[in-house]
């Protein structure tokens, strides 16, 4: 009798306590996303409201009130307005500020209703002029759908969030473009490795010189610094000699050049990839950017799209892998007899312009084209506009929360189903910290604090991945029931028989004694 | 043009390919299992999957075995026509490292932090994975290293954990052992397709011995599979239904089986290169960033 509990205790597996209830609650979680947007009314929209205090409004009113003679100044008015507004106010992460200007204003060019700048503001041209009698609330109601549209472009829209949640909620893809978008960009990860490679298949003809360190520092690093809250990036570069593309380009006599058409591009990457190598120490996803300088016999080389038209960038990219750009150098040395190899200095600005665009695509920054009537300022040297960063942060936060929730709920389910897995204390603590971080992230999302929400969601993901992929959670102890019986029965059955018999004897004696007592009483 | 581009994306939902090729038996007389695995390795590399995305596990070294009369070679055909060892082979798990535990760790991703990248299966939700197992097996189990076994339930659970963590988009499982079909009976996760060289109760037989080397060189199923794959090139449009017809009973003596009920797409629309090759999806870069405008000084925050 003593042996049974002892045996039970010694053969049970150690399983630390897990907050299963809270995990189940997470499975039903509803996340509410709140953004802060402010609308400012400029003068001439409404006589009373326009005179509000605030220096940013004053500046905008000044610009509006200026005498706009001479067409040259018009085109950059909105840019100037954007810049001067921002030297004053720093809108917090996740918020959108909309300035409403009157219909007749010339701040925005003709045909443009909304201008979205580099930071977090938009300038919205008001529709039909309102009569004086309307008050603040009515004006707001009138403009609400348009302001909502602006905010959706700048922060997030329904399709963005459903795409981010695709891990957890299996929805049918809204459109082919959105499915292509979701396949193209990398999933959220704590770090990424970026590798720039220069491929020189013909070192006898070209001696290539590229200032990659300087180029990365000037052009790529600003983008990566801005993206620092999202992930860590590590960059390296290499030069590969005698690396051919693996596909034979066709000679097009009309262009006097070699062409690669879009169908053969798919086979270009594989032969090169074997030689690219990667950092053995980390498991982060790798983005490869290759610059290929064609050999002298196949120069110049142009990429043609599906319509057989040459591509302006002369580059292509592969989803979740990286991009390749073909850089033609044959116009850099004259037709005459130049001694080989020719020293060529690569124009890194052009190259980085293409790589930066591809990098933005790979990281999920680019999205669907803006609705008609919108003018979006191109990001230029900064690499990323603030509102694009916010957009990315919104979708990454939601993705992180969804992934961490899926991970932790499936881990709980797995541990529940397989009774034999040992759950160590460190796993339990990781799970608890995931649950806490997730709850905090959701709370911050509701409050609209995007920065904190992203941070908590990153912590949640890290903890959940560490818990799920812990090496100690390997279940190798599959014992089918018949094997368990086969082991225990020959051991315990012979022992059980005398024990049972004696128990029956004790029970019958106890009954007899009770009967005697009762009969004595009577 | 957009339809064209988008169409290429929708034939399959994957952006990268992985392969996990495992030979589970050791000893010189199991030469054919190593040759099986190496021939699939060779086909997969030829069709484009790079070494960085192949996890090759060989339980014993046949090429440099002291009983090999032709060192540094592993042949697949009796007239030594095809050396599947080649000169560019990268074995990730070798010898005693090939254990049930390591195999399951590779699949589920629960490897110690010190494991290098080449030994990990770093697949994501858009990866198509090919898993090939060969060795000695029985009804519901596969023998590893002559000392331990993996059961079909453990394998099914491992795939389910991969699915939970979205470590694959679609998975093709091929097994060449005796009673191989029993190994895929217990699968229950979506998007799995399985092929086996023999049904429950049947033995998979080897192909032919080579008198110079002294052992059987390959198993029948993989021999005909290799023959089939040699005709595939990276832009082939051969689909899975042809793969199911490889090695009929007349050639194989055993009856190969397959299982597609868990697979969402119609096998007739699945290309061989979706699993054995690595056909990249490619998009033209339409936009570039203009970096020549002077960078505005960012205000200090």
């Amino acid at each position: 009798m003593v042996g049974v509990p002892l045996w039970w205790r010694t053969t049970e597996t150690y399983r630390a306590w897990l907050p299963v209830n809270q995990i189940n609650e997470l499975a039903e979680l509803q996340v509410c996303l709140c953004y802060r947007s402010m609308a400012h009314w400029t003068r001439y929209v409404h006589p009373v409201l326009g005179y509000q205090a605030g220096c940013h409004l004053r500046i905008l009113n000044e610009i509006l009130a200026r005498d706009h003679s001479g067409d040259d100044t018009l085109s950059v008015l909105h840019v100037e307005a954007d810049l001067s507004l921002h030297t004053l106010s720093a809108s917090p992460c996740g918020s959108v500020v909309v300035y409403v200007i009157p219909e007749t204003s010339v701040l925005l060019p003709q045909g443009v209703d909304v201008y979205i700048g580099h930071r977090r503001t938009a300038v919205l041209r008001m529709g039909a002029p309102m009569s004086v009698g309307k008050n603040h609330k009515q004006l707001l109601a009138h403009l609400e759908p348009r302001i909502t549209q602006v905010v959706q472009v700048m922060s997030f829209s329904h399709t963005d969030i459903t795409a981010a949640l695709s891990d957890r909620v299996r929805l049918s893809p809204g459109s082919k473009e959105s499915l292509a978008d979701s396949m193209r960009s990398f999933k959220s990860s704590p770090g990424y490795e970026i590798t720039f490679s220069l491929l020189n298949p013909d070192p006898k003809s070209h001696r290539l010189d590229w200032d990659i360190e300087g180029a990365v520092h000037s052009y790529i690093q600003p983008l990566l610094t801005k993206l620092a809250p999202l992930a860590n990036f590590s960059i390296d570069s290499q030069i590969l000699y005698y690396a051919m593309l693996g596909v034979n380009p066709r000679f097009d006599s009309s262009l006097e050049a070699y062409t690669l058409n879009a169908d053969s591009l798919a086979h270009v990457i594989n032969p090169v990839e074997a030689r690219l190598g990667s950092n053995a120490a980390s498991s982060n996803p790798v983005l490869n950017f290759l610059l290929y300088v064609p050999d002298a016999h196949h120069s110049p080389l142009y990429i043609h799209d599906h319509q057989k038209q040459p591509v302006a960038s002369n580059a292509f990219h592969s989803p979740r892998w990286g991009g390749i750009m073909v850089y033609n150098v044959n116009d850099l040395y004259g037709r005459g007899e130049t001694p080989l190899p020719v020293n060529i200095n690569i124009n890194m600005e052009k190259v980085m312009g293409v790589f930066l665009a591809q990098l933005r695509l790979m990281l999920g920054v680019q999205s669907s084209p803006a609705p008609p009537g919108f003018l979006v300022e191109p990001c230029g040297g900064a690499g990323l506009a603030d509102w694009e960063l916010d957009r990315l942060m919104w979708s990454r936060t939601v993705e992180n929360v969804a992934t961490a929730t899926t991970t932790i709920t499936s881990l709980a389910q797995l541990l529940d189903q397989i009774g034999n897995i040992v759950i160590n204390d460190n796993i339990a603590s990781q799970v608890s910290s995931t649950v806490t971080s997730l709850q905090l992230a959701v709370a911050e999302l509701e409050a609209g604090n995007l920065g904190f929400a992203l941070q908590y969601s990153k912590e949640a993901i890290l903890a959940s991945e560490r818990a799920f992929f812990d090496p100690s959670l390997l279940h190798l102890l599959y014992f089918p029931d018949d094997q368990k019986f086969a082991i225990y029965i020959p051991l315990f059955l012979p022992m059980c028989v005398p024990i049972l018999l004696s128990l029956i004897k004790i029970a019958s004696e106890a009954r007899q004694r009770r009967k005697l007592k009762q009969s004595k009483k009577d | 043009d957009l339809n064209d581009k988008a169409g290429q994306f929708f034939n399959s939902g994957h952006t990268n390919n992985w392969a996990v090729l495992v030979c589970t038996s050791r000893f010189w007389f199991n030469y054919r299992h190593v040759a099986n695995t190496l021939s699939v390795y060779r086909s997969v590399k030829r069709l484009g999957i790079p070494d960085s995305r192949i996890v090759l596990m060989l339980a014993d070294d046949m090429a440099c075995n002291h009983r090999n009369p032709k060192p540094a070679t592993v042949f697949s055909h009796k007239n030594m026509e095809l050396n599947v060892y080649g000169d560019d082979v990268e074995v990730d798990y070798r010898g005693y490292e090939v254990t049930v535990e390591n195999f399951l760790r590779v699949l589920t991703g629960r490897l110690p932090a010190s494991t290098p990248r080449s030994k990990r299966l770093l697949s994501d939700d858009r990866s198509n994975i090919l898993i090939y197992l060969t060795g000695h097996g029985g009804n519901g189990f596969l023998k590893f290293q002559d000392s331990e076994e993996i059961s079909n339930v453990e394998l099914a659970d491992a795939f389910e954990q991969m699915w939970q963590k979205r470590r694959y988009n679609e998975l093709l499982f091929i097994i060449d052992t005796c009673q191989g079909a029993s190994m895929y009976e217990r699968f229950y996760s979506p998007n799995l397709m399985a092929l086996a060289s023999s049904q429950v109760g049947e033995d998979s037989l080897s192909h032919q011995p080579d008198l110079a080397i002294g052992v059987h060189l390959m198993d029948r199923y993989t021999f005909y599979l290799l023959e089939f794959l040699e005709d595939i090139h990276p832009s082939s449009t051969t689909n899975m239904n042809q793969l199911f017809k490889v090695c009929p009973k007349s050639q194989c003596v055993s009856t190969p089986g397959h299982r597609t009920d868990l697979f969402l797409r119609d096998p007739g629309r699945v290309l061989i290169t979706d699993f054995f090759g690595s056909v990249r999806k490619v998009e033209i870069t339409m936009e570039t960033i203009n970096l020549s405008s002077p960078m505005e000084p960012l205000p200090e925050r």
Side-chain angles (χ1 to χ4, degrees):
Chain A
M1 297 306 296
V2 173
V4 170
L6 194 63
W7 163 72
W8 192 258
R9 208 139 160 85
T10 47
T11 53
E12 79 175 357
T13 46
Y14 177 70
R15 294 167 74 90
W17 177 82
L18 290 178
V20 184
N21 287 335
Q22 288 176 311
I23 295 176
N24 289 336
E25 264 171 51
L26 276 175
E28 313 287 321
L29 201 56
Q30 284 185 332
V31 177
C32 167
L33 297 164
C34 252
Y35 54 81
R36 278 201 216 107
S37 73
M38 284 193 294
H40 290 294
W41 310 101
T42 57
R43 202 161 63 153
Y44 309 127
V45 168
H46 190 290
V48 174
L49 293 175
Y51 289 98
Q52 286 178 33
C55 35
H56 38 269
L57 272 181
R58 229 183 303 134
I59 289 200
L60 195 57
N61 288 337
E62 271 170 30
I63 297 177
L64 283 171
R66 242 183 268 162
D67 179 23
H68 305 303
S69 53
D71 282 334
D72 321 342
T73 53
L74 285 182
S75 56
V76 294
L77 261 183
H78 45 280
V79 178
E80 187 195 330
D82 192 46
L83 282 175
S84 29
L85 286 170
H86 279 286
T87 46
L88 297 171
S89 72
S91 28
C93 193
S95 66
V96 172
V97 180
V98 180
Y99 292 95
V100 184
I101 58 171
E103 165 76 15
T104 49
S105 159
V106 292
L107 189 65
L108 294 181
Q110 199 71 333
V112 172
D113 292 325
V114 181
Y115 167 73
I116 300 181
H118 269 181
R119 310 293 156 75
R120 295 185 173 98
T121 58
V123 180
L124 174 69
R125 189 204 294 279
M126 179 135 152
M130 303 290 292
S131 58
V132 183
K134 301 273 165 105
N135 66 6
H136 190 187
K137 277 219 181 70
Q138 285 167 326
L139 264 177
L140 202 58
H142 171 75
L143 276 177
E144 192 182 319
R146 298 188 60 213
I147 295 189
T148 314
Q149 191 192 26
V150 172
V151 175
Q152 279 191 343
V153 169
M154 290 177 73
S155 291
F156 54 85
S157 65
H158 187 66
T159 41
D160 293 331
I161 300 298
T162 45
L165 284 173
S166 64
D167 210 28
R168 181 137 182 81
V169 182
R170 284 269 133 174
L171 295 171
S172 53
S175 65
K176 286 188 170 178
E177 289 81 21
S178 64
L179 184 59
D181 274 344
S182 75
M183 281 172 67
R184 182 191 306 119
S185 64
F186 278 89
K187 286 244 146 217
S188 169
S189 158
Y192 297 93
E193 315 234 332
I194 303 181
T195 306
F196 292 99
S197 310
L198 173 63
L199 271 62
N200 184 359
D202 197 6
K204 287 201 276 286
S205 312
H206 315 126
R207 192 178 294 137
L208 298 170
D209 196 18
W210 70 339
D211 178 24
I212 185 66
E213 266 185 82
V216 163
H217 182 75
S218 328
Y219 302 120
I220 307 281
Q221 198 55 49
L223 170 66
L224 299 183
T225 317
K226 249 186 163 166
L227 287 173
L230 281 161
N232 298 324
F233 291 90
S234 82
I235 308 185
D236 38 44
S237 65
Q238 59 181 342
I239 304 184
L240 287 175
Y241 294 105
Y242 295 105
M244 300 296 297
L245 273 187
V247 177
N248 283 329
R250 276 177 36 246
F251 185 71
D252 189 339
S253 42
S254 59
L255 292 169
E256 293 224 2
Y258 287 86
T259 61
L260 269 180
N261 63 347
D263 299 320
S264 54
L265 291 176
H267 307 294
V268 167
I269 297 179
N270 286 328
V272 182
E273 179 156 16
R275 298 192 54 187
L276 284 179
S278 59
N279 183 0
S282 84
S283 314
N284 287 332
V286 179
L287 287 88
N288 290 299
F289 294 102
L290 272 57
L291 184 63
Y292 180 73
V293 175
D295 51 320
H297 298 290
H298 289 111
S299 277
L301 179 62
Y302 296 112
I303 296 181
H304 281 191
D305 61 13
H306 292 274
Q307 275 82 31
K308 308 281 187 289
Q309 297 303 312
V311 173
S313 60
N314 219 18
F316 64 98
H317 57 270
S318 179
R320 299 204 182 181
W321 183 81
I324 299 186
M325 178 179 176
V326 178
Y327 188 87
N328 289 313
V329 296
N330 57 324
D331 52 331
L332 288 176
Y333 49 97
R335 292 275 161 198
E337 287 299 317
T338 28
L340 298 174
V342 183
N343 282 328
I344 295 176
N345 211 340
I346 296 188
N347 178 4
M348 292 312 287
E349 198 180 281
K350 189 170 106 166
V351 168
M352 282 302 167
V354 174
F355 283 162
L356 202 56
Q358 290 176 338
L359 179 61
R360 281 162 53 100
L361 278 174
M362 293 290 136
L363 291 174
V365 172
Q366 207 92 341
S367 55
S368 39
F374 277 60
L375 173 64
V376 178
E377 178 79 14
C379 63
L384 192 67
D386 283 359
W387 58 272
E388 285 178 325
L389 176 64
D390 284 353
R391 235 195 126 96
L392 198 56
M393 283 169 81
W394 283 114
S395 64
R396 283 280 189 253
T397 310
V398 173
E399 194 186 322
N400 285 349
V401 166
T403 313
T405 313
T406 315
T407 308
I408 214 71
T409 44
S410 70
L411 179 63
Q413 208 182 6
L414 171 77
L415 294 175
D416 199 40
Q417 267 178 349
I418 306 178
N420 280 328
I421 289 190
V422 175
I423 307 178
N424 288 328
D425 282 331
N426 68 323
I427 297 177
S429 70
Q430 296 287 353
V431 171
S432 309
S433 85
T434 309
V435 172
T436 328
S437 302
L438 274 174
Q439 288 167 338
L440 282 169
V442 171
E444 295 287 355
L445 274 177
E446 277 189 28
N449 301 324
L450 186 54
F452 288 120
L454 181 67
Q455 211 179 325
Y456 285 128
S457 72
K458 271 174 67 177
E459 281 170 26
I461 272 239
L462 278 171
S464 68
E465 300 272 311
R466 233 177 273 144
F468 193 91
F469 287 118
D470 191 280
S472 71
L473 282 181
L474 194 67
H475 164 56
L476 277 183
L477 312 168
Y478 169 65
F479 292 128
D481 287 331
D482 46 348
Q483 284 188 16
K484 272 199 200 125
F485 283 130
I487 293 174
Y488 282 128
I489 284 182
L491 284 176
F492 286 127
L493 199 57
M495 281 201 304
C496 277
V497 172
I499 291 180
L500 270 171
L501 285 177
S502 53
L503 275 173
I504 291 175
K505 219 170 144 200
I506 294 174
S508 58
E509 275 181 18
R511 228 182 293 129
Q512 274 183 350
R513 245 183 276 133
R514 226 184 295 128
K515 266 199 218 144
L516 275 172
K517 257 198 224 159
Q518 278 205 335
S519 58
K520 268 195 198 162
K521 274 197 192 155
D522 298 337
Chain B
D1 162 57
L2 189 61
N3 269 335
D4 227 352
K5 227 180 1 162
Q8 199 196 24
F9 270 87
F10 300 101
N11 291 332
S12 71
H14 74 285
T15 58
N16 55 70
N17 286 82
W18 283 82
V20 179
L21 311 173
V22 185
C23 160
T24 59
S25 19
R26 51 176 37 244
F27 306 129
W28 171 246
F29 50 81
N30 289 322
Y31 182 104
R32 59 190 186 283
H33 296 143
V34 172
N36 288 350
T37 318
L38 284 173
S39 50
V40 177
Y41 172 74
R42 175 206 139 77
S43 310
V44 144
K45 264 183 84 161
R46 188 178 56 83
L47 290 172
I49 305 185
D51 273 313
S52 51
R53 293 188 200 247
I54 302 179
V55 179
L56 178 62
M57 304 172 78
L58 297 180
D60 203 355
D61 184 5
M62 299 303 166
C64 301
N65 193 309
H66 44 266
R67 290 172 74 169
N68 189 350
K70 310 270 176 198
T73 60
V74 173
F75 290 109
S76 68
H77 194 274
K78 73 170 175 208
N79 291 327
M80 297 189 223
E81 282 169 12
L82 189 55
N83 173 16
V84 290
Y85 199 63
D87 44 10
D88 187 19
V89 62
E90 184 186 298
V91 182
D92 300 303
Y93 286 84
R94 60 194 68 188
Y96 288 109
E97 289 173 358
V98 179
T99 58
V100 174
E101 181 183 333
N102 280 347
F103 176 59
L104 289 179
R105 284 194 190 281
V106 165
L107 286 183
T108 54
R110 297 206 170 98
L111 289 158
S114 55
T115 315
R117 208 182 173 106
S118 57
K119 283 185 157 176
R120 287 181 187 258
L121 178 63
L122 293 169
S123 53
D124 56 27
D125 62 315
R126 295 276 173 204
S127 304
N128 274 8
I129 309 184
L130 166 72
I131 299 190
Y132 177 83
L133 296 176
T134 184
H136 288 291
N139 189 355
F141 66 91
L142 171 62
K143 190 171 70 160
F144 266 71
Q145 301 273 11
D146 213 27
S147 62
E148 50 179 5
E149 323 166 331
I150 185 171
S151 63
N152 49 3
V153 176
E154 283 176 330
L155 195 57
D157 283 343
F159 287 156
E160 174 63 14
Q161 290 188 51
M162 287 175 80
W163 174 249
Q164 289 286 329
K165 206 62 189 74
R166 300 290 184 269
R167 276 166 70 76
Y168 67 88
N169 174 43
E170 290 170 346
L171 200 145
L172 176 63
F173 174 77
I174 304 185
I175 184 161
D176 188 351
T177 64
C178 302
Q179 308 195 52
S182 63
M183 288 306 281
Y184 60 64
E185 270 172 7
R186 301 292 198 112
F187 289 172
Y188 55 93
S189 315
N191 271 341
L192 295 177
M193 198 192 308
L195 280 108
S197 59
S198 55
Q199 300 294 334
V200 174
E202 287 179 347
D203 290 336
S204 287
L205 302 180
S206 60
H207 187 58
Q208 42 182 224
D210 179 291
L211 296 175
I213 298 183
V215 285
H216 286 256
L217 292 183
M218 271 188 86
D219 280 331
R220 285 177 189 243
Y221 183 74
T222 311
F223 181 83
Y224 290 108
L225 179 67
L226 177 62
E227 218 174 59
F228 174 79
L229 289 175
E230 289 286 303
D231 286 335
I232 309 280
H233 53 88
S235 38
S236 291
T237 51
T238 328
N239 62 41
M240 281 293 164
N241 282 335
Q242 268 110 310
L243 188 62
F244 297 153
K245 296 197 201 120
V246 162
C247 207
K249 196 172 166 98
S250 51
Q251 284 175 324
C252 253
V253 184
S254 57
T255 321
H258 55 92
R259 179 176 178 184
T260 53
D261 58 311
L262 293 166
F263 203 76
L264 294 177
R265 284 195 293 153
D266 169 31
R269 304 192 54 187
V270 179
L271 300 177
I272 301 286
T273 50
D274 279 351
F275 288 102
F276 285 90
S278 173
V279 182
R280 303 281 183 167
K281 303 212 168 19
V282 157
E283 288 181 310
I284 307 278
T285 308
M286 288 304 191
E287 299 184 18
T288 62
I289 309 266
N290 183 359
L291 291 171
S292 50
S293 53
M295 272 190 52
E296 57 217 49
L298 295 174
E300 291 304 305
R301 294 266 173 104

